[in-house]
Amino acid sequence: MNHIKSLLLASIITSASANAFAAENDAIVTLDLTKAGTEFTFDKETGAWDKTYSEEDPTIDSQLFCFLHNATTAYQSWWGFTASNSANNMPSDNYLKYQFSNMDKGGIALDKDGNVLKNEYGAPVASDTIPYLVAYYAAFMGEQSVDMIFNDGLAHEVIGCYVNLSTYSYYTTLLGDNYCRRFTNNDKFTLTIHGIAEDASEKTVEVVLASADNGFYTGATGWSYVDLTPLGAVNELYFTLDSTDSGAWGMNTPGYFCLDKLMAKEQPTTSVSKLGAKSTLSYNRATKTITNTGKAFIAIYNTAGQLVKSDETETLSLDGMENGVYIARSGDNTLKIII
């Protein structure tokens, strides 16, 4: 894990609210995009979040969770996470347009107590009124291009989540197309969920999304629960995909999956003593200025670990910098900045 990723995970530790420690030890936060801090408007035809191809929104924030979203508007491309409310699970002749759907036709419903609603067979109930996350993994954009951190910057115990095949990945592994082959014997499409702890150690959980053996195809068509407790307390989750249908340029299988109802303990596992002194760094997004009270040095890094700006000053203007996620650093103090 690169140095700046460690900073990203610790970036808002110094500004964590004391209220975070008042939570019940057994309280669970369940991802619910209807409560998202990010404002969603969805395309009526495709179901895609209308900021999917926008570079202005580098994160999707909901409750404890901060999912990284990347886009290049000029090339109409995106990677990482986006949101969708599509209920279309039919095959398509134009998956680049209709890439924002899952096989269960919607996000997972919750009951009145905030628990996952299940049907008579014990399967989660999907609803076309509930948004969910669509992830696109592009290995050439970096191993950790599909990434999630916690909004309070602290380590939390992760409990589980639900994953599903996107319609794009389902139908191409089932039927094949001009770019990838139909799954046959010994084929497998695998999601690996990586948990990064405070000491930068890493544990993983692996999920088979689609496979074929002896001509028999198996693909997730409903939301499947993934137990994440083996990962323990983490600052970060990142997600990678692998397929037996791969070539010199990587996977031929489209690198999509869908995610909903990620669960984590609300009580942080980072102790108060680890938080240290309050940060001297603060950011005014309206004026695009960062202030370092009492100290005359500020350095700004991007999430690739590159120093993009620095000055021996207490106030630094970030006007003119590209929109995105950055880390400000001064001595031991760090702060996540979203421009």
Side-chain angles (χ1 to χ4, degrees):
M1 187 173 77
N2 61 38
H3 178 63
I4 195 63
K5 185 65 71 172
S6 298
L7 294 180
L8 178 58
L9 297 174
S11 60
I12 42 182
I13 285 177
T14 51
S15 61
S17 168
N19 291 334
F21 298 96
E24 293 293 332
N25 288 336
D26 58 353
I28 304 297
V29 178
T30 300
L31 174 67
D32 181 359
L33 291 184
T34 66
K35 299 178 179 179
T38 301
E39 189 173 324
F40 294 127
T41 303
F42 297 102
D43 185 278
K44 292 182 179 179
E45 183 179 7
T46 67
W49 177 37
D50 66 357
K51 297 293 184 65
T52 296
Y53 296 108
S54 170
E55 300 170 31
E56 297 179 0
D57 290 83
T59 62
I60 294 173
D61 294 279
S62 185
Q63 301 130 293
L64 273 178
F65 311 106
C66 177
F67 299 89
L68 270 63
H69 162 258
N70 299 279
T72 303
T73 304
Y75 295 97
Q76 286 291 281
S77 63
W78 70 279
W79 62 97
F81 286 98
T82 190
S84 174
N85 70 353
S86 173
N88 177 10
N89 70 349
M90 300 302 293
S92 172
D93 292 329
N94 185 0
Y95 277 118
L96 290 182
K97 183 175 182 179
Y98 298 102
Q99 61 186 280
F100 309 100
S101 55
N102 75 75
M103 292 304 298
D104 213 7
K105 302 177 67 175
I108 298 172
L110 297 175
D111 63 21
K112 60 182 178 60
D113 297 318
N115 300 313
V116 169
L117 184 65
K118 296 183 179 178
N119 62 22
E120 58 187 304
Y121 303 106
V125 175
S127 170
D128 60 6
T129 65
I130 297 173
Y132 53 92
L133 293 170
V134 179
Y136 175 51
Y137 171 64
F140 57 87
M141 300 306 298
E143 179 74 2
Q144 300 182 26
S145 59
V146 182
D147 205 353
M148 189 285 305
I149 60 175
F150 292 104
N151 276 324
D152 61 5
L154 304 177
H156 293 262
E157 291 183 53
V158 284
I159 307 302
C161 66
Y162 287 83
V163 299
N164 200 350
L165 272 172
S166 77
T167 54
Y168 192 2
S169 297
Y170 175 79
Y171 286 112
T172 51
T173 52
L174 175 67
L175 304 172
D177 64 11
N178 293 332
Y179 305 99
C180 59
R181 58 177 170 78
R182 177 177 67 89
F183 273 20
T184 54
N185 290 339
N186 300 315
D187 276 323
K188 188 182 294 185
F189 181 45
T190 305
L191 167 68
T192 301
I193 304 173
H194 307 250
I196 306 296
E198 290 179 290
D199 62 0
S201 63
E202 179 175 321
K203 296 179 181 178
T204 61
V205 170
E206 187 174 288
V207 184
V208 177
L209 296 175
S211 63
D213 290 295
N214 299 318
F216 183 76
Y217 174 87
T218 301
T221 56
W223 289 103
S224 300
Y225 180 72
V226 182
D227 180 9
L228 297 179
T229 56
L231 301 180
V234 300
N235 290 96
E236 172 189 18
L237 295 175
Y238 74 94
F239 305 77
T240 58
L241 292 167
D242 192 28
S243 174
T244 51
D245 181 15
S246 297
W249 302 102
M251 287 194 309
N252 296 322
T253 303
Y256 295 82
F257 69 95
C258 299
L259 176 75
D260 200 7
K261 302 305 180 279
L262 173 62
M263 288 167 275
K265 287 190 177 181
E266 185 175 19
Q267 177 73 12
T269 59
T270 305
S271 66
V272 176
S273 63
K274 288 183 179 180
L275 294 181
K278 186 177 180 181
S279 176
T280 59
L281 292 165
S282 61
Y283 177 57
N284 185 324
R285 194 172 184 183
T287 61
K288 292 187 177 182
T289 57
I290 184 164
T291 301
N292 191 18
T293 305
K295 297 183 180 180
F297 178 75
I298 304 171
I300 309 296
Y301 297 82
N302 62 23
T303 54
Q306 300 165 324
L307 178 66
V308 295
K309 194 168 188 176
S310 66
D311 200 356
E312 294 183 4
T313 181
E314 289 190 12
T315 302
L316 182 63
S317 173
L318 307 184
D319 193 40
M321 289 180 59
E322 294 183 0
N323 291 331
V325 178
Y326 297 89
I327 303 301
R329 185 179 185 187
S330 178
D332 294 332
N333 293 318
T334 59
L335 183 71
K336 183 178 78 169
I337 296 169
I338 301 173
I339 299 177

